[in-house]
Amino acid sequence: MNAPLIEGLYREGEPIADSAAPDVPIDRMWTQRQFDAKLVNPANRRKLDVIIVGTGLAGASAGATLGEAGYNVKSFCYQDSPRRAHSIAAQGGINAAKNYKGDGDSIYRLFYDTTKGGDYRSRESNTYRLAEVSADIIDQCVAQGVPFAREYGGLLDNRSFGGVQVSRTFYARGQTGQQLLIGAYQALERQIGAGTVKMYSRHEMLELIVIDDGAGPRARGIIARDMVTGEIETHLADAVVLASGGYGNVYFLSTNAMGCNVTASWRAHRKGAYFANPCYTQIHPTCIPVSGDHQSKLTLMSESLRNDGRIWVPKRIEDCEKDPREIPTEDRDYYLERLYPAFGNLVPRDIASRQAKNMCDEGRGVGPKVGDFRRGVYLDFRDAIERLGEDAVRNKYGNLFDMYKQITGEDPYQVPMRIYPAVHYTMGGLWVDYDLQSSIPGLFVTGEANFSDHGANRLGASALMQGLADGYFVLPNTIRNYLADGPYEPIDPTHPAVIEAQDSVESRIQMLLGISGERSVDSFHKELGHIMWEYCGMERTEEGLRKAIDLIRSLREEFWRNVRVLGSADTLNQSLEKAGRVADFLELGELMCIDALHRRESCGGHFRAESQTEDGEALRNDDEFLYVGGWEWGGEGESPVLHKETLSYKFIELKQRSYK
Amino acid sequence: MNLTLKIWRQSGPSDKGGMATYPIEGVSDDMSFLEMLDVLNEGLIAEGEEPVAFDSDCREGICGTCGVMINGEAHGPERTTTCQLHMRSFRDGDEIVIEPWRADAFPVIKDLVVDRGAFDRIIQSGGYISANTGSAPDAHATPVPKDQADRAFMAAECISCGACVAACPNGSASLFMGAKITHLGEFPQGQPERDARVQSMSAQHDAEGFGGCTNLGECTRACPKGIPLNVISQMNGDLLRSLRHGR
């Protein structure tokens, strides 16, 4: 690589383009692509093997659909059952342009809201398609028996969500993710029973196998570890799909499940898959605040609570320690309603989060002090209970209120909830084209693991939509174009690339077990998380990011010298599992900071203090940064290489976002 | 507060296993039960002893991964998941006995981790509605009365944690199975496979080594999601009905 080093941190490579999207008007693109994609004769499908890593909404739905179609599917998850993937914890709902409420919704409006909500950093073609297939998702799930909320007439109910002025969100009380995932899981289990899908639970992908058969490198399999026996297994296939979720756990404290990790994506990145927009992290505004050092994760309270709850802090700092019930309405600052009268408490997540931080930074936060600040704002249901009655509120949000009480010991029917923003979702991920294919042919990436649909910020109720859109409708139609050229040349398990992948996994495990240092894996993870939250969290500065890069590099150096992993490789060993994941987070964290540093603009969940309007709102810079940043692994100890994919907005006008 | 923990340690499926005692100090009320175990494990690692293996993932009470017997009760003294049990439920000086789920059909993998794969195999045998992707009618084509939809939802809340089995003196999975049969049986979409579903799931349940239901109700008392005993009546009713239909 001869390109000059930029800012001492990275080099710039050739631009990339999404080459799979047909050049037709946006409302005909998907139909055209489905028609153009080659077909695979049903009799030939059983000769084709597909590996799917991850069994959340994207992975389970893809597995079920490809199995149904007759391909040989091998499905992997690290959990003890595919039903436990973290999609299960999504609470609020799933969007769909059904316009059942007759309130002016349409495919175009869902597309528009999603693109605007993402601060114009998503790809138009993918986002339009997402809106286009959204209605089919609801039909599919209802046919599977997903128990969505219904009206007395027996028809489906809807509600509205942050950043949106129509009611297009389908929900199942506060457990929408669970119900959708169980629908997909049951469809997957049906295929497992039918023999089209073979399930490998408690298995973790530790390496991607890439083989050049003369026609260029292709993804041809994975190395996985059986987490119970420790066996290192080689699985070969014609194509590999990663549906392995997001990497929010790089922050240690997040709303992600304990096991969520970046390893599958990161290993693929190191084998040549570009990692796009890694710094785009979504901070969710309605989480239960941190209570102490022992904390292992943060719990989200569904954003749907903002439909009826009103967010406020005391107007005066001296009121912050008072019982909130004793603070009269005129002494309360309903700051979202004040600053954004059109959207009020329903402003998008990035805006709600940043304003909560601003209130606390001004000293008007509530709840216990964490460090020097009170890190909490009130989410108050007093007015809703007066207006609707306690029973109606209980009916809508009962399980969320119970959960809050269980965790905090406070009764939210009596005292306002306290909330604070927390890391929730990562919009960055492996780069994919319109076909959801990564920069490695034969490697497809779906759901949260790819970067494509949400731009710099994700609207509520859109993640579930994307997971299922990718798995049920998009991938099965695009991957067939790739598989139609298969079956590819069979791979000998003794092929040098396979042996090399096995060896690298085994030597890494032995290395981790052999260090015998002083510090636990968790202590490194917590320290990394602290660095990331402090310098690459809600607000970022040039100086902070440079400091973070240095801190991460020295922490990584210490990790490989001083981590303590006890036990052996040939049994269930949870410390070993964590160690491998944290090792990858330590590399990803640096790339996130480099990406955040180079993007000198504020957009979505990424607020650069140096780039703001006079009244403190995020200031985008479309002239310089209207692109996706796709990072290529530069090699061990080398700088990463940035490839830019220019975003062109042909169907939506670029505007400064305003919710005033 | 300071506590004494008695924890089941078993290095692998073939190890006999036994109880080990660990004192722990400085536990705060705000910690969840699993965070208390995290703190214990950090201490064990510092002393060079292998940490206690236990299952957990979402830690929000919804994924169903966690679950241990605490002082002989599934998920402990409160009706919730182990991750949502907080140390404010205990008192300074308490002795707490922690064991893995008890059931032949849930073999121990290590320490507090058990294999609940039998649940997946029961679902594979018929716990679904056959609906191929892409051919579904409009969601509003089939209205579902709200009371039926609500009952289906109530049953669908099951998180498959396995507490019902662990609490049952017979090691029966009837509450788990009844919940799924009720969930799918309440919908018009679930009717065509209703008879076949209850028969094949029941057969798989027995083949996995779960015991029979004798209506003791321990399962529903332990269920963190409050699945009521009447889902078992519905399952039994469906089974009888399917036999009458001669299928």
Side-chain angles (χ1 to χ4, degrees), chain A residues 61 64-65 68 78-86 88-89 91 98 100 136 138-140 142-148 150-157 172-175 178-179 182 185-187 189-193 201-202 228 255-260 291 294-300 395 399 403 405-409 472-473 519-523 564 566-568 571-575, chain B residues 11 13 28 30-32 35 38-39 41-42 44-60 62-65 78-80 84-86 88-89 109-110 113-117 119-121 123-125 127-146 149-150 152-154 156-162 176 180 183-184 187 189 193 225:
Chain A
S61 57
T65 308
E68 227 167 73
Y78 74 77
Q79 296 90 346
D80 72 323
S81 162
R83 76 174 313 286
R84 306 204 198 277
H86 194 55
I88 203 151
Q91 295 167 350
K98 282 278 200 187
Y100 279 163
D136 295 342
I138 305 302
D139 298 341
Q140 177 67 24
V142 166
Q144 289 172 342
V146 170
F148 285 116
R150 287 182 182 264
E151 316 249 22
Y152 279 96
L155 300 179
L156 297 163
D157 193 14
R173 250 173 252 175
Q175 306 175 3
Q178 161 162 11
Q179 298 307 333
I182 287 175
Y185 155 77
Q186 287 174 182
E189 291 295 331
R190 175 179 161 231
Q191 295 306 320
I192 296 169
S201 55
R202 290 198 197 268
V228 175
T255 64
N256 288 350
M258 303 303 285
C260 290
S291 67
H294 58 266
Q295 197 126 1
S296 58
K297 74 155 281 162
L298 296 171
T299 302
L300 178 141
N395 204 23
N399 69 313
M403 192 171 80
K405 188 176 178 192
Q406 189 70 35
I407 293 172
T408 62
Y472 282 135
F473 299 104
R519 287 181 62 179
S520 71
V521 178
D522 274 2
S523 78
R564 172 180 285 190
L566 299 165
S568 65
T571 62
L572 183 77
N573 185 339
Q574 293 172 330
S575 304
Chain B
S11 63
S28 95
D30 287 333
M31 285 181 189
S32 72
E35 285 167 348
D38 291 341
V39 172
N41 277 342
E42 285 293 290
L44 292 179
I45 293 169
E47 289 164 20
E49 187 172 346
E50 255 200 83
V52 178
F54 62 91
D55 261 334
S56 84
D57 207 16
C58 81
R59 297 205 178 184
E60 292 183 24
I62 195 73
C63 74
T65 307
E78 291 192 27
R79 190 163 164 168
T80 185
Q84 293 298 296
L85 176 67
H86 283 70
R88 64 181 79 92
S89 299
I109 294 174
K110 186 174 183 176
V113 177
V114 301
D115 179 358
R116 286 165 293 190
F119 273 6
D120 290 331
R121 292 187 291 273
I123 298 296
Q124 276 159 37
S125 70
Y128 48 76
I129 288 171
S130 297
N132 279 7
T133 305
S135 53
D138 187 275
H140 271 180
T142 315
V144 182
K146 190 169 184 328
D150 286 351
F153 181 87
M154 171 279 296
E157 284 193 79
C158 168
I159 56 171
S160 300
C161 62
F176 162 79
K180 187 48 56 192
H183 162 206
L184 300 176
F187 283 115
Q189 293 87 330
E193 294 168 301
K225 297 297 156 181

Side-chain angles (χ1 to χ4, degrees), chain A residues 23-60:
Chain A
D23 187 18
V24 294
I26 202 157
D27 55 350
R28 297 217 317 268
M29 223 176 244
W30 180 227
T31 314
Q32 189 66 43
R33 183 64 194 129
Q34 289 176 86
F35 180 76
D36 292 343
K38 283 173 266 185
L39 297 173
V40 182
N41 165 346
N44 288 338
R45 293 179 197 160
R46 70 180 86 95
K47 299 176 193 154
L48 289 156
D49 301 322
V50 181
I51 285 170
I52 303 178
V53 181
T55 56
L57 288 177

Side-chain angles (χ1 to χ4, degrees), chain B:
Chain B
M1 52 184 146
N2 301 330
L3 305 164
T4 305
L5 306 177
K6 296 203 159 178
I7 302 180
W8 182 261
R9 300 300 307 257
Q10 183 175 341
S11 63
S14 54
D15 179 31
K16 191 158 157 277
M19 300 301 286
T21 303
Y22 304 100
I24 180 167
E25 294 173 359
V27 173
S28 95
D29 281 11
D30 287 333
M31 285 181 189
S32 72
F33 195 84
L34 299 181
E35 285 167 348
M36 183 275 293
L37 289 180
D38 291 341
V39 172
L40 171 78
N41 277 342
E42 285 293 290
L44 292 179
I45 293 169
E47 289 164 20
E49 187 172 346
E50 255 200 83
V52 178
F54 62 91
D55 261 334
S56 84
D57 207 16
C58 81
R59 297 205 178 184
E60 292 183 24
I62 195 73
C63 74
T65 307
C66 66
V68 290
M69 304 301 288
I70 300 168
N71 293 336
E73 292 185 275
H75 293 302
E78 291 192 27
R79 190 163 164 168
T80 185
T81 55
T82 305
C83 66
Q84 293 298 296
L85 176 67
H86 283 70
M87 297 312 292
R88 64 181 79 92
S89 299
F90 298 90
R91 293 188 187 292
D92 190 30
D94 275 0
E95 179 180 283
I96 306 177
V97 180
I98 310 168
E99 304 159 84
W101 279 161
R102 302 163 171 171
D104 281 352
F106 290 165
V108 173
I109 294 174
K110 186 174 183 176
D111 295 343
L112 304 173
V113 177
V114 301
D115 179 358
R116 286 165 293 190
F119 273 6
D120 290 331
R121 292 187 291 273
I122 289 176
I123 298 296
Q124 276 159 37
S125 70
Y128 48 76
I129 288 171
S130 297
N132 279 7
T133 305
S135 53
D138 187 275
H140 271 180
T142 315
V144 182
K146 190 169 184 328
D147 54 346
Q148 260 178 270
D150 286 351
R151 184 165 158 77
F153 181 87
M154 171 279 296
E157 284 193 79
C158 168
I159 56 171
S160 300
C161 62
C164 50
V165 176
C168 175
N170 305 330
S172 172
S174 290
L175 194 73
F176 162 79
M177 203 163 53
K180 187 48 56 192
I181 282 164
T182 303
H183 162 206
L184 300 176
E186 285 291 343
F187 283 115
Q189 293 87 330
Q191 300 314 310
E193 294 168 301
R194 190 165 172 179
D195 287 348
R197 178 181 304 122
V198 69
Q199 292 201 5
S200 56
M201 288 178 76
S202 303
Q204 188 65 35
H205 171 273
D206 296 351
E208 293 289 348
F210 291 107
C213 172
T214 48
N215 245 345
L216 293 165
E218 292 295 321
C219 52
T220 183
R221 219 174 58 82
C223 175
K225 297 297 156 181
I227 308 286
L229 207 52
N230 64 29
V231 300
I232 299 180
S233 328
Q234 177 151 347
M235 174 177 74
N236 290 335
D238 275 17
L239 190 57
L240 283 175
R241 195 184 80 136
S242 75
L243 295 171
R244 271 206 308 278
H245 289 176
R247 290 181 192 156

Side-chain angles (χ1 to χ4, degrees), chain A residues 322-334:
Chain A
K322 270 194 190 164
D323 183 332
R325 291 168 294 187
E326 286 167 13
I327 303 176
T329 305
E330 61 271 21
D331 291 339
R332 301 174 173 196
D333 181 7
Y334 293 92

